[in-house]
């Protein structure tokens, strides 16, 4: 009788142990299944360049982009020119640029024989902004060029008050600056007394506070300013926002480019 009870107890213990092992195995299988269903993030891809693209495109789409592609990104906006320079040094996976690539060549010295590829993501508008109290409503390209080159220095010469013009321009590293010089100024130099900003937000803040200031920047930034500044009507000034790669993009970059060109992504752009 004693032996029977011992065998019975041992059998019961073995069954409990097997049951516990099955539970553990089931949990492990479930964990692996859950992990397998999630995007497999590796180290983030470094993207650098246009603050316009950083703010208006990547910050608004990053969560959706990473979920859709399984690619994690780290995006910074030191300016289009600086982004391409970082790409030249292979410090980043791609540059983000707010002007055509051929305008970047003179600023960086990168080769034009096809090593660098331009992948257009979006069409953006550059607009002229003034203080809300400024009565000027329209400016021609010739007037914009005159203001930016320093040939026009008083608002009365373009239909405004008798007061000097404070010209606010983007930094040397900016793709917007390169675009303005090409599309508005036909390659001429900016006025030597122009105030050079560090960021687009600084430009908006200065114009919002100064009745004599004028600046040009992305329409997206102006819309984000919520009425702090006034847009002056000008001829349309369209420019492309692009991702620039060395040679063909990697599979990870291809998935990013494909997603950003999709209707799903464009609905998220600011």
């Amino acid at each position: 009788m004693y032996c029977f009870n011992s065998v019975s107890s041992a059998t019961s213990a073995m069954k409990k142990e097997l049951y516990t092992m099955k539970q553990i195995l089931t949990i492990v299988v479930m964990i692996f299944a859950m992990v397998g269903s999630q995007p497999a993030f590796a180290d983030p891809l470094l993207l650098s360049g246009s603050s316009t693209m950083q703010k208006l495109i990547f910050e608004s789409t990053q969560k959706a982009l990473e979920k859709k592609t399984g690619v994690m990104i780290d995006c910074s906006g030191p300016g289009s020119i600086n982004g391409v320079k970082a790409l030249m040094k292979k410090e980043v996976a791609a540059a983000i640029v707010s002007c055509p690539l051929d305008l970047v060549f003179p600023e960086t010295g990168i080769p034009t024989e096809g090593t660098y590829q331009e992948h257009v993501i979006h069409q953006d508008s550059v607009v002229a902004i003034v203080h809300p109290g400024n009565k000027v409503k329209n400016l021609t390209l010739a007037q914009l060029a005159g203001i930016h080159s320093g040939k026009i220095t008083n608002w009365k010469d373009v239909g405004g008050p008798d007061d000097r013009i404070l010209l606010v321009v983007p930094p040397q590293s900016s793709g917007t600056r390169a675009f303005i010089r090409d599309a508005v100024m036909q390659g001429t130099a900016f006025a030597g007394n122009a105030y050079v900003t560090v960021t687009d937000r600084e430009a908006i803040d200065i114009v919002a506070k100064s009745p004599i200031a004028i600046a040009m920047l992305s329409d997206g930034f102006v819309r984000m300013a919520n009425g702090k500044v006034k847009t002056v009507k000008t001829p349309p000034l369209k420019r492309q926002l692009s991702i620039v790669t060395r040679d063909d993009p990697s599979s990870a970059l291809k998935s990013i480019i494909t997603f950003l060109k999709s209707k799903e992504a464009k609905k998220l752009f600011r």
Side-chain angles (χ1 to χ4, degrees):
M1 189 72 175
Y2 176 78
C3 293
F4 176 77
N5 286 338
S6 298
V7 171
S8 178
S9 297
T11 302
S12 178
M14 289 177 64
K15 287 182 177 180
K16 287 182 179 180
E17 186 176 349
L18 286 172
Y19 180 72
T20 302
M21 291 177 67
K22 286 181 179 179
Q23 283 184 312
I24 294 172
L25 182 60
T26 300
I27 293 171
V28 170
V29 170
M30 290 175 63
I31 290 173
F32 273 104
M34 291 173 64
V35 171
S37 67
Q38 300 298 316
F41 292 123
D43 291 336
L45 283 184
L46 301 181
L47 308 178
S48 179
S50 166
S51 60
T52 299
M53 289 193 71
Q54 179 198 23
K55 295 293 183 182
L56 305 186
I57 293 181
F58 283 98
E59 285 190 1
S60 61
T61 64
Q62 185 165 357
K63 288 183 179 179
L65 184 154
E66 292 179 350
K67 182 178 180 180
K68 188 78 173 182
T69 66
V71 179
M72 187 163 59
I73 62 171
D74 185 348
C75 185
S76 61
S80 297
I81 308 305
N82 286 338
V84 174
K85 287 180 178 179
L87 180 61
M88 291 172 65
K89 298 175 183 177
K90 300 184 179 181
E91 296 173 347
V92 296
I96 49 178
V97 178
S98 61
C99 65
L101 188 55
D102 60 1
L103 299 184
V104 177
F105 292 145
E107 303 290 340
T108 60
I110 66 174
T112 61
E113 81 290 351
T115 299
Y116 292 82
Q117 296 184 12
E118 184 176 37
H119 310 273
V120 178
I121 300 299
H122 187 58
Q123 293 294 323
D124 180 45
S125 294
V126 173
V127 297
I129 58 170
V130 296
H131 186 274
N134 192 319
K135 295 182 179 181
V136 173
K137 297 180 179 179
N138 303 279
L139 289 170
T140 66
L141 285 182
Q143 288 172 329
L144 283 173
I147 291 170
H148 281 77
S149 66
K151 292 181 179 179
I152 297 176
T153 59
N154 194 301
W155 280 109
K156 70 178 181 180
D157 295 329
V158 290
D162 184 7
D163 208 340
R164 71 184 182 89
I165 295 174
L166 171 61
L167 175 63
V168 180
V169 300
Q172 292 280 355
S173 60
S174 169
T176 302
R177 181 185 177 109
F179 175 78
I180 294 169
R181 185 173 57 242
D182 177 73
V184 175
M185 304 172 65
Q186 304 299 309
T188 58
F190 286 90
N193 64 347
Y195 179 85
V196 180
T197 62
V198 176
T199 65
D200 290 315
R201 181 172 294 179
E202 182 187 7
I204 289 175
D205 288 343
I206 292 171
V207 173
K209 294 175 182 177
S210 175
I212 62 172
I214 183 172
M216 295 187 72
L217 68 162
S218 170
D219 180 54
F221 274 112
V222 177
R223 285 185 276 106
M224 289 171 62
N226 296 320
K228 290 181 180 179
V229 296
K230 184 179 83 172
T231 301
V232 176
K233 186 176 180 180
T234 68
L237 291 167
K238 298 284 187 180
R239 49 111 178 245
Q240 60 197 42
L241 305 180
S242 307
I243 293 177
V244 175
T245 61
R246 291 174 65 102
D247 302 312
D248 294 331
S250 65
S251 58
L253 281 170
K254 281 182 181 179
S255 67
I256 290 173
I257 292 166
T258 299
F259 173 72
L260 292 178
K261 287 184 175 183
S262 69
K263 291 182 180 179
E264 177 185 354
K266 291 184 184 298
K267 289 178 181 179
L268 301 175
F269 294 174
R270 288 177 179 166

